[in-house]
Amino acid sequence: MDEWIENIVELESNIESYPNPGIKVFQYGTSGIRYNSEHLDHVLHRMGLLVALRSIHLKSAAVGLMITASHNPQDDNGIKLIDPLGEMLDSSWEVYATKLANAPNNQDVCAMLINIAYENNIDKKYIPRVYIGRDTRNSGKRLLDAVLCGVNAFNSNVEDFGIITTPMLHFFVRCYNTNGLYGQPSEHSYHTKLTNSFKTLRKMCLDLKNYSPVIEFDGANGVGALKMKDAIIHLEETLVINMHNDDIMNTEKLNYKCGADFVKSNQCPPTGMTIKPHSKYVSVDGDADRIVYSFVDENNKFYLLDGDRIATLVAGYIKDLFIASGLDVNVGLVQTAYSNGNSTKYVTDKLKVPVACVPTGVKYLHHKANDYDVGIYFEANGHGTILFKDAIRELIRNQCSIEVDEAKSLALKKLICIMDMTNETVGDAYSDMLIVESVLCERGWSISDWYKTYSDLPNRLKQVTVKDRNTFETGDAERICLKPLGLQEKIDSIVLKYSMGRSFVRPSGTEDVVRIYAEADTQINADKLAVEVATAVYDIADGVGKKPE
């Protein structure tokens, strides 16, 4: 390890250029690190060092670094690190990321890098390969410079893809590390793979019935809007996409009263567009890895079709295709505690698809989905995808090449189209939109037909800023609060007051806030329940700022 010590000591001047001001303790969580962009330069620089070391450890496999704060406000930014198959960073390296981000001085950073190399027995001979992308935030270019300073300290092979969606970068990383079997690491390959399979399946749909291909697209004034304009060219009018909230030049508008998170959290239409009864509204978030649908009726009543709705739509369709194909395949759905209680009941009782519940966070859902032959996961916030085991993917393609009856052959061809339009690396708003539109077209459903499949329990999301989120500990897939002591008992007593009441709390992985979910028999009761539980959190856990109301 002497050569590592010598090499990293030589990096001291590089590390000194981005000192830690010591104003914030960072924690690398499920969504990476996010904070006000003015205080992230040293964090991004150190993540550049870490991601290069990660690639060396993986023998020059391409790894990814995305500069984004997703659905956060414009003034924030952050970072997500991507492992070779397009998955989230290995959890053991999340610990390294947290320690590096908070190291007080350059000597500590050097010592940590040497320790990482030692603990993982990293061979210095490999040249790191790092793929980088960023969203549309003003701070992105400055933070990119910090990343490059860190990455290039290890003489890395760097590919800067510029402004792209987060799912695109996940896709590119996987493409490189599968030697092109998944596609080529380029925007053209991304669009053609997903869109061509969509257009092929669309040709198989002969009776549209109530389905309409017209979409009112809410781009959150972010990178999703920018890339949707590119996608429209590839779609060749199979969908009619009317663009809204696509002003990426005015970055103050990013995620402001629009986008998937705003629509989901506030349960109202996005601003920035004229809302017309029964039009189909599609909202994505600031880095385009989340998607939700919505509409209003003739009485201006709002209806949300979130990740739960997408999951049930997709699960039912895929199960029907496998039944039609004659293949015996284990299809399963993975949810979190945020999933609406009636969606779980619909999937288990009506669709007869097994459901697993895991803690909030893509890495937990993604991991559990791998337990099934075909695993479907969607968080209620609209982040999700479909995973096909390699053996199942091969089985479908092989079976399609064998002469079978017409109905089975058609089902197999449709399954291949669904596989090819799925970005299996991570939740992808564009890919998921294509899948949803395919299923709606196949079913011949309008958006209101889709909504009528089951009734959601009214629900409400709130959050409370606390002094220290680390005082919270949860269990049973985050459905119960173990710490602070006494809080769960208080929540239980509050829930008993409301018919069909359910509520849970969980700390954010990136900031000192606690998120509250509540559902009940009416919206008024769900709102009251959420406020009562939020007040209990505020009182017991050192709430900061204005008391919930």
Side-chain angles (χ1 to χ4, degrees), residues 111-139:
M112 287 180 187
L113 293 173
I114 292 168
N115 187 57
I116 293 169
Y118 176 76
E119 285 185 359
N120 294 277
N121 196 26
I122 298 176
D123 191 336
K124 187 171 175 284
K125 71 181 181 183
Y126 294 101
I127 305 298
R129 180 175 295 275
V130 180
Y131 281 7
I132 301 173
R134 68 184 193 274
D135 67 19
T136 56
R137 295 166 198 271
N138 285 337
S139 57

PDB file of all heavy atoms in Angstrom, residues 111-139:
ATOM      1  N   ALA A 111      -6.072  10.533   4.393  1.00  0.00           N
ATOM      2  CA  ALA A 111      -6.065   9.338   5.230  1.00  0.00           C
ATOM      3  C   ALA A 111      -7.244   8.428   4.902  1.00  0.00           C
ATOM      4  O   ALA A 111      -7.104   7.187   4.855  1.00  0.00           O
ATOM      5  CB  ALA A 111      -6.101   9.738   6.706  1.00  0.00           C
ATOM      6  N   MET A 112      -8.410   9.029   4.635  1.00  0.00           N
ATOM      7  CA  MET A 112      -9.597   8.235   4.304  1.00  0.00           C
ATOM      8  C   MET A 112      -9.441   7.540   2.961  1.00  0.00           C
ATOM      9  O   MET A 112      -9.817   6.376   2.793  1.00  0.00           O
ATOM     10  CB  MET A 112     -10.841   9.125   4.307  1.00  0.00           C
ATOM     11  CG  MET A 112     -11.285   9.536   5.686  1.00  0.00           C
ATOM     12  SD  MET A 112     -12.750  10.596   5.625  1.00  0.00           S
ATOM     13  CE  MET A 112     -12.873  11.070   7.352  1.00  0.00           C
ATOM     14  N   LEU A 113      -8.903   8.234   1.975  1.00  0.00           N
ATOM     15  CA  LEU A 113      -8.699   7.631   0.657  1.00  0.00           C
ATOM     16  C   LEU A 113      -7.726   6.455   0.755  1.00  0.00           C
ATOM     17  O   LEU A 113      -7.940   5.399   0.141  1.00  0.00           O
ATOM     18  CB  LEU A 113      -8.179   8.675  -0.326  1.00  0.00           C
ATOM     19  CG  LEU A 113      -9.151   9.808  -0.695  1.00  0.00           C
ATOM     20  CD1 LEU A 113      -8.448  10.857  -1.537  1.00  0.00           C
ATOM     21  CD2 LEU A 113     -10.373   9.269  -1.433  1.00  0.00           C
ATOM     22  N   ILE A 114      -6.663   6.627   1.517  1.00  0.00           N
ATOM     23  CA  ILE A 114      -5.699   5.535   1.711  1.00  0.00           C
ATOM     24  C   ILE A 114      -6.384   4.365   2.400  1.00  0.00           C
ATOM     25  O   ILE A 114      -6.182   3.197   2.028  1.00  0.00           O
ATOM     26  CB  ILE A 114      -4.490   6.031   2.536  1.00  0.00           C
ATOM     27  CG1 ILE A 114      -3.681   7.043   1.727  1.00  0.00           C
ATOM     28  CG2 ILE A 114      -3.604   4.863   2.963  1.00  0.00           C
ATOM     29  CD1 ILE A 114      -2.648   7.797   2.531  1.00  0.00           C
ATOM     30  N   ASN A 115      -7.226   4.662   3.389  1.00  0.00           N
ATOM     31  CA  ASN A 115      -7.929   3.613   4.117  1.00  0.00           C
ATOM     32  C   ASN A 115      -8.899   2.855   3.215  1.00  0.00           C
ATOM     33  O   ASN A 115      -9.021   1.620   3.300  1.00  0.00           O
ATOM     34  CB  ASN A 115      -8.679   4.215   5.301  1.00  0.00           C
ATOM     35  CG  ASN A 115      -9.289   3.156   6.196  1.00  0.00           C
ATOM     36  OD1 ASN A 115      -8.591   2.278   6.701  1.00  0.00           O
ATOM     37  ND2 ASN A 115     -10.590   3.227   6.392  1.00  0.00           N
ATOM     38  N   ILE A 116      -9.599   3.587   2.340  1.00  0.00           N
ATOM     39  CA  ILE A 116     -10.522   2.933   1.404  1.00  0.00           C
ATOM     40  C   ILE A 116      -9.752   1.989   0.479  1.00  0.00           C
ATOM     41  O   ILE A 116     -10.173   0.846   0.231  1.00  0.00           O
ATOM     42  CB  ILE A 116     -11.287   3.987   0.579  1.00  0.00           C
ATOM     43  CG1 ILE A 116     -12.227   4.787   1.472  1.00  0.00           C
ATOM     44  CG2 ILE A 116     -12.094   3.324  -0.548  1.00  0.00           C
ATOM     45  CD1 ILE A 116     -12.821   6.025   0.804  1.00  0.00           C
ATOM     46  N   ALA A 117      -8.625   2.464  -0.031  1.00  0.00           N
ATOM     47  CA  ALA A 117      -7.797   1.626  -0.915  1.00  0.00           C
ATOM     48  C   ALA A 117      -7.314   0.385  -0.176  1.00  0.00           C
ATOM     49  O   ALA A 117      -7.304  -0.724  -0.726  1.00  0.00           O
ATOM     50  CB  ALA A 117      -6.615   2.437  -1.442  1.00  0.00           C
ATOM     51  N   TYR A 118      -6.935   0.568   1.096  1.00  0.00           N
ATOM     52  CA  TYR A 118      -6.427  -0.546   1.899  1.00  0.00           C
ATOM     53  C   TYR A 118      -7.536  -1.549   2.218  1.00  0.00           C
ATOM     54  O   TYR A 118      -7.366  -2.765   2.043  1.00  0.00           O
ATOM     55  CB  TYR A 118      -5.813  -0.012   3.190  1.00  0.00           C
ATOM     56  CG  TYR A 118      -5.343  -1.087   4.134  1.00  0.00           C
ATOM     57  CD1 TYR A 118      -4.156  -1.790   3.897  1.00  0.00           C
ATOM     58  CD2 TYR A 118      -6.089  -1.417   5.270  1.00  0.00           C
ATOM     59  CE1 TYR A 118      -3.730  -2.790   4.757  1.00  0.00           C
ATOM     60  CE2 TYR A 118      -5.676  -2.412   6.131  1.00  0.00           C
ATOM     61  CZ  TYR A 118      -4.489  -3.100   5.871  1.00  0.00           C
ATOM     62  OH  TYR A 118      -4.082  -4.089   6.730  1.00  0.00           O
ATOM     63  N   GLU A 119      -8.689  -1.055   2.679  1.00  0.00           N
ATOM     64  CA  GLU A 119      -9.781  -1.945   3.077  1.00  0.00           C
ATOM     65  C   GLU A 119     -10.298  -2.783   1.909  1.00  0.00           C
ATOM     66  O   GLU A 119     -10.748  -3.916   2.087  1.00  0.00           O
ATOM     67  CB  GLU A 119     -10.942  -1.127   3.656  1.00  0.00           C
ATOM     68  CG  GLU A 119     -10.695  -0.602   5.053  1.00  0.00           C
ATOM     69  CD  GLU A 119     -11.916   0.099   5.615  1.00  0.00           C
ATOM     70  OE1 GLU A 119     -12.948   0.190   4.897  1.00  0.00           O
ATOM     71  OE2 GLU A 119     -11.856   0.565   6.767  1.00  0.00           O
ATOM     72  N   ASN A 120     -10.244  -2.221   0.714  1.00  0.00           N
ATOM     73  CA  ASN A 120     -10.798  -2.911  -0.461  1.00  0.00           C
ATOM     74  C   ASN A 120      -9.721  -3.559  -1.331  1.00  0.00           C
ATOM     75  O   ASN A 120     -10.034  -4.072  -2.405  1.00  0.00           O
ATOM     76  CB  ASN A 120     -11.624  -1.924  -1.287  1.00  0.00           C
ATOM     77  CG  ASN A 120     -12.859  -1.443  -0.551  1.00  0.00           C
ATOM     78  OD1 ASN A 120     -13.889  -2.103  -0.534  1.00  0.00           O
ATOM     79  ND2 ASN A 120     -12.761  -0.277   0.088  1.00  0.00           N
ATOM     80  N   ASN A 121      -8.474  -3.499  -0.855  1.00  0.00           N
ATOM     81  CA  ASN A 121      -7.361  -4.103  -1.592  1.00  0.00           C
ATOM     82  C   ASN A 121      -7.367  -3.667  -3.057  1.00  0.00           C
ATOM     83  O   ASN A 121      -7.292  -4.475  -3.981  1.00  0.00           O
ATOM     84  CB  ASN A 121      -7.439  -5.639  -1.492  1.00  0.00           C
ATOM     85  CG  ASN A 121      -6.141  -6.305  -1.885  1.00  0.00           C
ATOM     86  OD1 ASN A 121      -5.055  -5.716  -1.773  1.00  0.00           O
ATOM     87  ND2 ASN A 121      -6.229  -7.527  -2.375  1.00  0.00           N
ATOM     88  N   ILE A 122      -7.475  -2.354  -3.271  1.00  0.00           N
ATOM     89  CA  ILE A 122      -7.613  -1.811  -4.617  1.00  0.00           C
ATOM     90  C   ILE A 122      -6.270  -1.819  -5.343  1.00  0.00           C
ATOM     91  O   ILE A 122      -5.259  -1.366  -4.801  1.00  0.00           O
ATOM     92  CB  ILE A 122      -8.185  -0.377  -4.565  1.00  0.00           C
ATOM     93  CG1 ILE A 122      -9.587  -0.410  -3.939  1.00  0.00           C
ATOM     94  CG2 ILE A 122      -8.242   0.245  -5.948  1.00  0.00           C
ATOM     95  CD1 ILE A 122     -10.208   0.960  -3.755  1.00  0.00           C
ATOM     96  N   ASP A 123      -6.299  -2.331  -6.561  1.00  0.00           N
ATOM     97  CA  ASP A 123      -5.090  -2.410  -7.393  1.00  0.00           C
ATOM     98  C   ASP A 123      -4.929  -1.108  -8.167  1.00  0.00           C
ATOM     99  O   ASP A 123      -5.775  -0.764  -9.002  1.00  0.00           O
ATOM    100  CB  ASP A 123      -5.204  -3.601  -8.348  1.00  0.00           C
ATOM    101  CG  ASP A 123      -3.894  -3.911  -9.066  1.00  0.00           C
ATOM    102  OD1 ASP A 123      -3.065  -2.993  -9.200  1.00  0.00           O
ATOM    103  OD2 ASP A 123      -3.705  -5.063  -9.486  1.00  0.00           O
ATOM    104  N   LYS A 124      -3.837  -0.429  -7.944  1.00  0.00           N
ATOM    105  CA  LYS A 124      -3.609   0.903  -8.504  1.00  0.00           C
ATOM    106  C   LYS A 124      -3.428   0.916 -10.030  1.00  0.00           C
ATOM    107  O   LYS A 124      -3.521   1.963 -10.668  1.00  0.00           O
ATOM    108  CB  LYS A 124      -2.369   1.504  -7.833  1.00  0.00           C
ATOM    109  CG  LYS A 124      -2.075   2.943  -8.155  1.00  0.00           C
ATOM    110  CD  LYS A 124      -0.952   3.435  -7.249  1.00  0.00           C
ATOM    111  CE  LYS A 124      -0.553   4.858  -7.635  1.00  0.00           C
ATOM    112  NZ  LYS A 124       0.241   4.881  -8.851  1.00  0.00           N
ATOM    113  N   LYS A 125      -3.231  -0.259 -10.623  1.00  0.00           N
ATOM    114  CA  LYS A 125      -2.886  -0.292 -12.045  1.00  0.00           C
ATOM    115  C   LYS A 125      -4.058   0.087 -12.960  1.00  0.00           C
ATOM    116  O   LYS A 125      -3.854   0.406 -14.138  1.00  0.00           O
ATOM    117  CB  LYS A 125      -2.372  -1.671 -12.435  1.00  0.00           C
ATOM    118  CG  LYS A 125      -3.426  -2.767 -12.460  1.00  0.00           C
ATOM    119  CD  LYS A 125      -2.829  -4.116 -12.845  1.00  0.00           C
ATOM    120  CE  LYS A 125      -3.887  -5.208 -12.900  1.00  0.00           C
ATOM    121  NZ  LYS A 125      -3.309  -6.538 -13.207  1.00  0.00           N
ATOM    122  N   TYR A 126      -5.302   0.022 -12.447  1.00  0.00           N
ATOM    123  CA  TYR A 126      -6.461   0.282 -13.295  1.00  0.00           C
ATOM    124  C   TYR A 126      -6.713   1.785 -13.457  1.00  0.00           C
ATOM    125  O   TYR A 126      -6.512   2.557 -12.529  1.00  0.00           O
ATOM    126  CB  TYR A 126      -7.711  -0.397 -12.729  1.00  0.00           C
ATOM    127  CG  TYR A 126      -7.622  -1.907 -12.761  1.00  0.00           C
ATOM    128  CD1 TYR A 126      -7.301  -2.626 -11.620  1.00  0.00           C
ATOM    129  CD2 TYR A 126      -7.839  -2.604 -13.948  1.00  0.00           C
ATOM    130  CE1 TYR A 126      -7.200  -4.012 -11.651  1.00  0.00           C
ATOM    131  CE2 TYR A 126      -7.749  -3.985 -13.989  1.00  0.00           C
ATOM    132  CZ  TYR A 126      -7.415  -4.687 -12.846  1.00  0.00           C
ATOM    133  OH  TYR A 126      -7.303  -6.053 -12.881  1.00  0.00           O
ATOM    134  N   ILE A 127      -7.153   2.163 -14.658  1.00  0.00           N
ATOM    135  CA  ILE A 127      -7.472   3.563 -14.965  1.00  0.00           C
ATOM    136  C   ILE A 127      -8.967   3.778 -14.784  1.00  0.00           C
ATOM    137  O   ILE A 127      -9.775   3.070 -15.398  1.00  0.00           O
ATOM    138  CB  ILE A 127      -7.063   3.925 -16.416  1.00  0.00           C
ATOM    139  CG1 ILE A 127      -5.587   3.615 -16.646  1.00  0.00           C
ATOM    140  CG2 ILE A 127      -7.371   5.395 -16.692  1.00  0.00           C
ATOM    141  CD1 ILE A 127      -4.642   4.400 -15.761  1.00  0.00           C
ATOM    142  N   PRO A 128      -9.378   4.722 -13.943  1.00  0.00           N
ATOM    143  CA  PRO A 128     -10.815   4.926 -13.721  1.00  0.00           C
ATOM    144  C   PRO A 128     -11.530   5.483 -14.946  1.00  0.00           C
ATOM    145  O   PRO A 128     -10.951   6.234 -15.742  1.00  0.00           O
ATOM    146  CB  PRO A 128     -10.858   5.923 -12.561  1.00  0.00           C
ATOM    147  CG  PRO A 128      -9.531   6.594 -12.561  1.00  0.00           C
ATOM    148  CD  PRO A 128      -8.544   5.615 -13.115  1.00  0.00           C
ATOM    149  N   ARG A 129     -12.791   5.099 -15.079  1.00  0.00           N
ATOM    150  CA  ARG A 129     -13.659   5.625 -16.144  1.00  0.00           C
ATOM    151  C   ARG A 129     -14.918   6.180 -15.487  1.00  0.00           C
ATOM    152  O   ARG A 129     -15.640   5.445 -14.804  1.00  0.00           O
ATOM    153  CB  ARG A 129     -14.020   4.536 -17.154  1.00  0.00           C
ATOM    154  CG  ARG A 129     -14.929   5.024 -18.295  1.00  0.00           C
ATOM    155  CD  ARG A 129     -15.150   3.937 -19.327  1.00  0.00           C
ATOM    156  NE  ARG A 129     -13.908   3.596 -19.999  1.00  0.00           N
ATOM    157  CZ  ARG A 129     -13.403   4.239 -21.046  1.00  0.00           C
ATOM    158  NH1 ARG A 129     -14.054   5.279 -21.546  1.00  0.00           N
ATOM    159  NH2 ARG A 129     -12.273   3.848 -21.590  1.00  0.00           N
ATOM    160  N   VAL A 130     -15.166   7.465 -15.679  1.00  0.00           N
ATOM    161  CA  VAL A 130     -16.274   8.134 -15.007  1.00  0.00           C
ATOM    162  C   VAL A 130     -17.168   8.831 -16.015  1.00  0.00           C
ATOM    163  O   VAL A 130     -16.696   9.604 -16.848  1.00  0.00           O
ATOM    164  CB  VAL A 130     -15.751   9.152 -13.966  1.00  0.00           C
ATOM    165  CG1 VAL A 130     -16.922   9.837 -13.275  1.00  0.00           C
ATOM    166  CG2 VAL A 130     -14.851   8.464 -12.937  1.00  0.00           C
ATOM    167  N   TYR A 131     -18.473   8.544 -15.942  1.00  0.00           N
ATOM    168  CA  TYR A 131     -19.482   9.207 -16.755  1.00  0.00           C
ATOM    169  C   TYR A 131     -20.163  10.272 -15.881  1.00  0.00           C
ATOM    170  O   TYR A 131     -20.551   9.986 -14.742  1.00  0.00           O
ATOM    171  CB  TYR A 131     -20.530   8.213 -17.238  1.00  0.00           C
ATOM    172  CG  TYR A 131     -20.103   7.359 -18.423  1.00  0.00           C
ATOM    173  CD1 TYR A 131     -18.805   7.398 -18.919  1.00  0.00           C
ATOM    174  CD2 TYR A 131     -21.017   6.512 -19.045  1.00  0.00           C
ATOM    175  CE1 TYR A 131     -18.435   6.628 -20.002  1.00  0.00           C
ATOM    176  CE2 TYR A 131     -20.651   5.733 -20.134  1.00  0.00           C
ATOM    177  CZ  TYR A 131     -19.356   5.793 -20.609  1.00  0.00           C
ATOM    178  OH  TYR A 131     -18.985   5.022 -21.682  1.00  0.00           O
ATOM    179  N   ILE A 132     -20.332  11.471 -16.425  1.00  0.00           N
ATOM    180  CA  ILE A 132     -20.871  12.591 -15.650  1.00  0.00           C
ATOM    181  C   ILE A 132     -22.032  13.239 -16.395  1.00  0.00           C
ATOM    182  O   ILE A 132     -21.998  13.394 -17.619  1.00  0.00           O
ATOM    183  CB  ILE A 132     -19.780  13.659 -15.386  1.00  0.00           C
ATOM    184  CG1 ILE A 132     -18.598  13.037 -14.625  1.00  0.00           C
ATOM    185  CG2 ILE A 132     -20.346  14.833 -14.591  1.00  0.00           C
ATOM    186  CD1 ILE A 132     -17.421  13.978 -14.471  1.00  0.00           C
ATOM    187  N   GLY A 133     -23.054  13.615 -15.645  1.00  0.00           N
ATOM    188  CA  GLY A 133     -24.169  14.383 -16.193  1.00  0.00           C
ATOM    189  C   GLY A 133     -24.636  15.399 -15.172  1.00  0.00           C
ATOM    190  O   GLY A 133     -24.279  15.326 -13.989  1.00  0.00           O
ATOM    191  N   ARG A 134     -25.458  16.344 -15.607  1.00  0.00           N
ATOM    192  CA  ARG A 134     -26.002  17.334 -14.677  1.00  0.00           C
ATOM    193  C   ARG A 134     -27.361  17.808 -15.186  1.00  0.00           C
ATOM    194  O   ARG A 134     -27.683  17.677 -16.373  1.00  0.00           O
ATOM    195  CB  ARG A 134     -25.048  18.512 -14.505  1.00  0.00           C
ATOM    196  CG  ARG A 134     -24.853  19.406 -15.715  1.00  0.00           C
ATOM    197  CD  ARG A 134     -23.800  20.487 -15.430  1.00  0.00           C
ATOM    198  NE  ARG A 134     -23.783  21.551 -16.427  1.00  0.00           N
ATOM    199  CZ  ARG A 134     -23.106  21.515 -17.565  1.00  0.00           C
ATOM    200  NH1 ARG A 134     -22.382  20.450 -17.866  1.00  0.00           N
ATOM    201  NH2 ARG A 134     -23.147  22.540 -18.400  1.00  0.00           N
ATOM    202  N   ASP A 135     -28.158  18.367 -14.253  1.00  0.00           N
ATOM    203  CA  ASP A 135     -29.445  18.926 -14.663  1.00  0.00           C
ATOM    204  C   ASP A 135     -29.270  20.404 -15.042  1.00  0.00           C
ATOM    205  O   ASP A 135     -28.149  20.861 -15.264  1.00  0.00           O
ATOM    206  CB  ASP A 135     -30.524  18.678 -13.596  1.00  0.00           C
ATOM    207  CG  ASP A 135     -30.289  19.437 -12.294  1.00  0.00           C
ATOM    208  OD1 ASP A 135     -29.528  20.428 -12.293  1.00  0.00           O
ATOM    209  OD2 ASP A 135     -30.876  19.039 -11.267  1.00  0.00           O
ATOM    210  N   THR A 136     -30.357  21.146 -15.082  1.00  0.00           N
ATOM    211  CA  THR A 136     -30.320  22.496 -15.667  1.00  0.00           C
ATOM    212  C   THR A 136     -29.991  23.599 -14.665  1.00  0.00           C
ATOM    213  O   THR A 136     -29.992  24.777 -15.035  1.00  0.00           O
ATOM    214  CB  THR A 136     -31.693  22.819 -16.295  1.00  0.00           C
ATOM    215  OG1 THR A 136     -32.712  22.672 -15.294  1.00  0.00           O
ATOM    216  CG2 THR A 136     -31.992  21.894 -17.457  1.00  0.00           C
ATOM    217  N   ARG A 137     -29.674  23.284 -13.433  1.00  0.00           N
ATOM    218  CA  ARG A 137     -29.456  24.318 -12.411  1.00  0.00           C
ATOM    219  C   ARG A 137     -28.259  25.199 -12.737  1.00  0.00           C
ATOM    220  O   ARG A 137     -27.245  24.722 -13.260  1.00  0.00           O
ATOM    221  CB  ARG A 137     -29.256  23.667 -11.037  1.00  0.00           C
ATOM    222  CG  ARG A 137     -30.485  22.937 -10.555  1.00  0.00           C
ATOM    223  CD  ARG A 137     -30.184  22.019  -9.380  1.00  0.00           C
ATOM    224  NE  ARG A 137     -31.259  21.051  -9.257  1.00  0.00           N
ATOM    225  CZ  ARG A 137     -32.358  21.237  -8.533  1.00  0.00           C
ATOM    226  NH1 ARG A 137     -32.490  22.334  -7.815  1.00  0.00           N
ATOM    227  NH2 ARG A 137     -33.292  20.311  -8.503  1.00  0.00           N
ATOM    228  N   ASN A 138     -28.361  26.468 -12.356  1.00  0.00           N
ATOM    229  CA  ASN A 138     -27.275  27.424 -12.603  1.00  0.00           C
ATOM    230  C   ASN A 138     -25.963  26.987 -11.970  1.00  0.00           C
ATOM    231  O   ASN A 138     -24.881  27.230 -12.515  1.00  0.00           O
ATOM    232  CB  ASN A 138     -27.653  28.802 -12.043  1.00  0.00           C
ATOM    233  CG  ASN A 138     -28.678  29.519 -12.899  1.00  0.00           C
ATOM    234  OD1 ASN A 138     -28.810  29.229 -14.086  1.00  0.00           O
ATOM    235  ND2 ASN A 138     -29.409  30.440 -12.311  1.00  0.00           N
ATOM    236  N   SER A 139     -26.047  26.346 -10.823  1.00  0.00           N
ATOM    237  CA  SER A 139     -24.842  25.957 -10.085  1.00  0.00           C
ATOM    238  C   SER A 139     -24.161  24.727 -10.675  1.00  0.00           C
ATOM    239  O   SER A 139     -23.050  24.372 -10.261  1.00  0.00           O
ATOM    240  CB  SER A 139     -25.191  25.674  -8.623  1.00  0.00           C
ATOM    241  OG  SER A 139     -26.193  24.667  -8.529  1.00  0.00           O
TER     242      SER A 139
END
